[in-house]
């Protein structure tokens, strides 16, 4: 009995994951292989469609831009936070956690108010005399990227603060007492040690952007369709479930491949592991 | 410990925090505006848009549905997730390594894919009604948080205390409830609150599972925004932000906010 205690206790959760996640997702994959036109037909259809290829490339572009911007902003901000003393540091961390725990809809809606045709940015620009006619900012790739960066910068900041705090202070002190300038210490000690953690953070942001729905829906609309919004449209508007399943499968394969490859790269780049 | 930081970096940090906090301040401001359109800074202060939330039946209904789903799915996730986290820590040797990966799968699989698959297999295939289907989806959504937070709490627990109780004749279940659980109480509270807020805010799973008559608050917000552009949504957002403040206070007292960075 005692031998199986571990199994007994983990069985309910295991069953739930197998029954309601693994099997349904496998069934979705299966749909794409069992069409009358042959096993890979839906994938050929996907990659033969100009619209769909554009959506896939756009999703990759937006996700890469979001990841790059979030990485730079997040890391530099986290660097400053980790060097801030006492109470000010707590306030900065609170200010980063608050948006993180606020829902995606609320955070995307905020940008709807700012970037709208009669939004705050346009009315300010007009009243400042910079422009006479409002700019079309909503439903552009730029507005989606801005809102996505807004979504993921807090996550990046917190990940990077965690990474930077795990770097032993001795190493940084050793570096400067051996005569390295702050810039040299940053580039030659801190950055290499932080790289594996940064990759993990970047992967989180990339996969999050790649599979996002609410933000591209609210700020991109039909004009800036991404994989998530295209999948929703195929499933719930067009009711083409084979096509939606194909997009789902491409999304899963893409994100899992990125996670596997990048975590391996991160492990190899870890200077502490050598 | 404090070393000088380049002034340019400090300037960048200030800008980043304006970028982070500014939009939320704008939402609060426009929620208080007396106008029928969204504007900032608010013109005339009024709470009428908050009253308007409760005047709209769809909002009243979806707020209640969202709360119910968050409570029920969090409770289920705790009931199945705590024993699993306990087993992963206490009986690590007899369990295969992939089991812990299994419980983080819901994080690895995109939520949209999970939502669509549940719609296809569970809601359509097995004709499961909307409400239980939403419960299933949200339970999967929050289960990884339970396993992760409880595992982190159990990592600091000395199982020798449990063994002492058992060797003194305490039955296993009683030992669990009187020795183990009280020691991870703060973890349980934190897990509950994190699951709750995650469920309340979910869009990607619910968007596929909600249907005629039953919807959740974020889905109702999306639907409302497409038709009306009045400050009602800003007011709902302020309510959700108030919930976030409460959640943060609890997390800070139990795990410490830096836990979220790990």
């Amino acid at each position: 009995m005692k031998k199986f205690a571990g199994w007994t206790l983990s069985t309910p959760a295991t069953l739930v994951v197998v029954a309601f996640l693994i099997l349904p997702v496998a069934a979705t994959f299966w749909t794409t292989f069992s069409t009358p036109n042959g096993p890979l037909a839906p994938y050929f259809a996907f990659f033969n469609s100009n619209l769909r290829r554009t959506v896939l490339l756009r999703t990759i572009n937006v996700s890469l831009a979001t990841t790059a911007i979030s990485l730079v902003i997040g890391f530099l901000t986290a660097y400053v936070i980790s060097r801030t003393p006492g109470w000010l540091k707590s306030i900065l961390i609170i200010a980063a956690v608050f948006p993180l725990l606020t829902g995606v809809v609320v955070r995307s809606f905020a940008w709807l108010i700012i970037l709208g045709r009669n939004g705050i940015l346009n009315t300010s620009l007009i009243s400042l005399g910079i422009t006479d006619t409002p700019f079309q900012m909503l439903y552009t790739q730029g507005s989606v990227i801005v809102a996505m960066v807004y979504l993921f910068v807090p996550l990046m900041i917190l990940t990077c603060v965690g990474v930077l705090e795990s770097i032993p202070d001795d190493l940084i002190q050793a570096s400067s007492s051996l005569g390295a300038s702050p810039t040299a210490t940053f580039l030659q000690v801190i950055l290499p040690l932080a790289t594996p953690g940064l990759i993990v953070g970047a992967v989180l942001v990339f996969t999050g952007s790649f599979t996002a729905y609410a933000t591209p829906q609210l700020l991109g609309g039909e004009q800036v369709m991404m994989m998530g919004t295209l999948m929703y449209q195929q499933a719930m508007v067009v009711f083409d479930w084979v096509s939606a399943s194909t997009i789902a499968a491409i999304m899963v394969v893409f994100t899992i491949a990125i996670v596997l490859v990048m975590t391996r790269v991160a492990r190899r780049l870890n200077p502490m592991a050598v | 410990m404090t070393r000088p930081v380049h002034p340019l970096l400090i300037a960048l940090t200030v800008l980043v925090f304006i970028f982070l906090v500014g939009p939320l301040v704008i939402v609060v401001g426009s929620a208080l505006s007396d106008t029928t359109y969204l504007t900032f800074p608010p013109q005339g202060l009024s709470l009428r848009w908050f009253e308007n939330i409760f005047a709209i039946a769809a909002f009243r209904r979806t707020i209640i549905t969202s709360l119910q789903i968050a409570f029920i799915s969090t409770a289920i996730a705790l009931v199945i997730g705590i024993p699993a986290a306990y087993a992963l820590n206490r009986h690590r040797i007899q369990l295969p390594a992939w089991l812990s990966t299994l419980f983080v799968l819901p994080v690895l699989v995109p939520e949209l894919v999970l939502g669509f698959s549940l719609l296809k297999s569970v809601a359509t295939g097995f004709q499961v009604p909307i409400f239980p289907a939403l419960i299933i989806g949200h339970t999967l959504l929050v289960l990884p948080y339970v396993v992760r937070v409880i595992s982190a709490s159990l990592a600091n627990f000395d199982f020798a205390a449990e063994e002492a109780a058992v060797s003194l004749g305490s039955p296993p279940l009683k030992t669990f409830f009187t020795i183990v659980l009280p020691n991870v109480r703060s973890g349980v509270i934190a897990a509950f609150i994190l699951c709750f807020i995650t469920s309340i805010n979910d869009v990607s799973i619910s968007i596929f599972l909600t249907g005629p008559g039953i919807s959740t608050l974020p889905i109702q917000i999306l639907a409302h925004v497409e038709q009306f552009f009045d400050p009602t949504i800003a007011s709902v957002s302020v309510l959700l932000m108030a919930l976030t403040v409460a959640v943060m206070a609890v997390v800070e007292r139990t795990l410490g906010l830096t836990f979220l960075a790990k």
Side-chain angles (χ1 to χ4, degrees), chain B residues 57-72:
Chain B
F59 277 112
R60 285 202 308 268
R61 260 203 324 268
T62 53
I63 286 174
I64 292 170
T65 309
S66 274
L67 289 174
Q68 286 171 331
I69 286 170
F71 265 115
I72 299 171

Side-chain angles (χ1 to χ4, degrees), chain A residues 33-85:
Chain A
F33 293 117
S34 56
T35 56
N37 307 331
L40 289 172
Y43 296 94
F44 285 118
F46 181 92
F47 287 103
N48 278 331
S49 151
N50 261 330
L51 169 83
R52 275 153 221 217
R53 273 205 316 272
T54 313
V55 169
L56 178 61
L57 285 179
R58 180 188 296 134
T59 310
I60 295 174
N61 276 339
V62 169
S63 306
L64 281 178
T66 306
T67 309
I69 300 170
S70 306
L71 191 61
V72 173
I73 295 182
F75 182 60
L76 293 177
T77 311
Y79 178 76
V80 177
I81 292 178
S82 69
R83 260 145 201 66
T84 308

Side-chain angles (χ1 to χ4, degrees), chain A residues 2-7 9-10 12-14 16-17 20-22 24-25 27-28 31 73 76-77 79-83 85 92 94-95 97-98 101-103 105-106 109-114 120 150 154 157-158 169 172 211 213 217-218 228 231-232 235-236 241 244-245 248 251-252 255, chain B residues 1-3 5 9 12-13 16-17 19-20 23-24 26-27 30 38 40 80 83-84 86-87 91 94-96 99 102-103 105-106 110 112-114 116-122 124 136 140 143 197 201 203 207-208 218 221-222 225-226 229 233-234 237 240-241 244-245 248 257 260-261:
Chain A
K2 204 161 182 252
K3 245 180 109 180
F4 299 106
W7 281 109
L9 290 169
S10 45
T14 309
V16 167
V17 175
F20 297 124
L21 183 123
I22 295 183
V25 172
T28 298
T31 312
I73 295 182
L76 293 177
T77 311
Y79 178 76
V80 177
I81 292 178
S82 69
R83 260 145 201 66
L92 291 179
I94 289 173
V97 171
F98 186 79
L101 291 176
T102 306
V105 174
V106 172
F109 170 72
W111 286 97
L112 212 58
I113 310 180
I114 298 171
I120 290 150
Y150 183 66
I157 291 178
L158 289 174
D169 214 35
I172 299 161
T211 61
Y213 171 75
Q217 171 66 27
L218 278 174
M231 182 189 155
Y232 180 79
M236 309 302 274
W241 283 13
S245 302
M251 239 154 58
V252 172
T255 49
Chain B
M1 167 64 209
T2 43
R3 273 173 297 274
V5 178
L9 277 179
L12 175 87
T13 307
V16 168
F17 278 96
F19 172 70
L20 285 182
L24 298 177
I26 288 172
V27 171
S30 22
L38 280 158
F40 185 87
I80 64 174
Y86 172 82
H91 303 282
Q94 45 169 275
L95 296 172
L99 200 64
L102 188 80
F103 298 129
L105 263 189
L112 275 181
V113 175
L114 179 56
F116 173 61
S117 300
L118 286 173
L119 166 73
K120 228 160 99 4
S121 301
V122 175
T124 313
I136 292 172
L140 282 170
L143 184 63
I197 191 85
N201 285 331
V203 174
I207 190 89
F208 286 104
I221 293 177
L222 282 180
V225 166
E226 294 198 344
F229 207 60
I233 298 299
S237 302
L240 284 168
M241 282 187 235
T244 308
V245 173
M248 282 177 70
L257 284 175
L260 296 172

Side-chain angles (χ1 to χ4, degrees), chain B residues 156-172:
Chain B
N156 300 321
F157 174 67
D158 187 356
F159 284 104
E162 188 195 16
E163 274 155 32
V166 172
S167 69
L168 289 170
S170 166

Side-chain angles (χ1 to χ4, degrees), chain B:
Chain B
M1 167 64 209
T2 43
R3 273 173 297 274
V5 178
H6 199 282
L8 267 179
L9 277 179
I10 294 177
L12 175 87
T13 307
V14 171
L15 286 179
V16 168
F17 278 96
I18 292 174
F19 172 70
L20 285 182
V21 178
L24 298 177
V25 172
I26 288 172
V27 171
V28 176
S30 22
L32 296 170
S33 181
D34 199 22
T35 49
T36 53
Y37 49 90
L38 280 158
T39 180
F40 185 87
Q43 294 170 10
L45 288 177
S46 150
L47 288 175
R48 70 183 170 115
W49 295 107
F50 286 90
E51 289 161 23
N52 195 42
I53 304 172
F54 300 99
I56 300 173
F59 277 112
R60 285 202 308 268
R61 260 203 324 268
T62 53
I63 286 174
I64 292 170
T65 309
S66 274
L67 289 174
Q68 286 171 331
I69 286 170
F71 265 115
I72 299 171
S73 49
T74 301
I76 297 174
L78 285 172
V79 169
I80 64 174
I82 292 176
Y86 172 82
L88 285 176
N89 281 269
R90 183 75 177 80
H91 303 282
R92 187 173 300 146
I93 311 141
Q94 45 169 275
L95 296 172
W98 55 258
L99 200 64
S100 56
T101 316
L102 188 80
F103 298 129
V104 294
L105 263 189
V107 182
L108 219 57
V109 172
E111 280 175 41
L112 275 181
V113 175
L114 179 56
F116 173 61
S117 300
L118 286 173
L119 166 73
K120 228 160 99 4
S121 301
V122 175
T124 313
F126 286 97
Q127 298 286 312
V128 173
I130 295 174
F131 194 80
L134 279 167
I135 299 278
I136 292 172
H138 283 231
T139 303
L140 282 170
L141 174 73
V142 300
L143 184 63
Y145 289 88
V146 174
V147 176
R148 196 177 128 224
V149 174
I150 303 293
S151 288
S153 307
L154 281 171
N156 300 321
F157 174 67
D158 187 356
F159 284 104
E162 188 195 16
E163 274 155 32
V166 172
S167 69
L168 289 170
S170 166
L173 257 185
K174 189 183 171 198
T175 312
F176 180 78
F177 282 106
T178 54
I179 308 289
V180 183
L181 208 53
N183 275 291
V184 294
R185 204 187 59 184
S186 64
V188 175
I189 296 171
F192 178 87
I193 207 81
L194 283 174
C195 293
F196 192 80
I197 191 85
T198 307
S199 166
I200 289 276
N201 285 331
D202 175 73
V203 174
S204 294
I205 291 181
S206 313
I207 190 89
F208 286 104
L209 299 174
T210 48
I214 301 183
S215 190
T216 63
L217 184 58
I219 308 301
Q220 166 62 22
I221 293 177
L222 282 180
H224 189 92
V225 166
E226 294 198 344
Q227 292 173 39
F228 311 97
F229 207 60
D230 61 28
T232 311
I233 298 299
S235 314
V236 181
S237 302
V238 173
L239 289 188
L240 284 168
M241 282 187 235
L243 188 67
T244 308
V245 173
V247 167
M248 282 177 70
V250 176
V251 173
E252 173 59 23
R253 289 198 157 199
T254 49
L255 294 175
L257 284 175
T258 43
F259 177 84
L260 296 172
K262 284 173 199 154

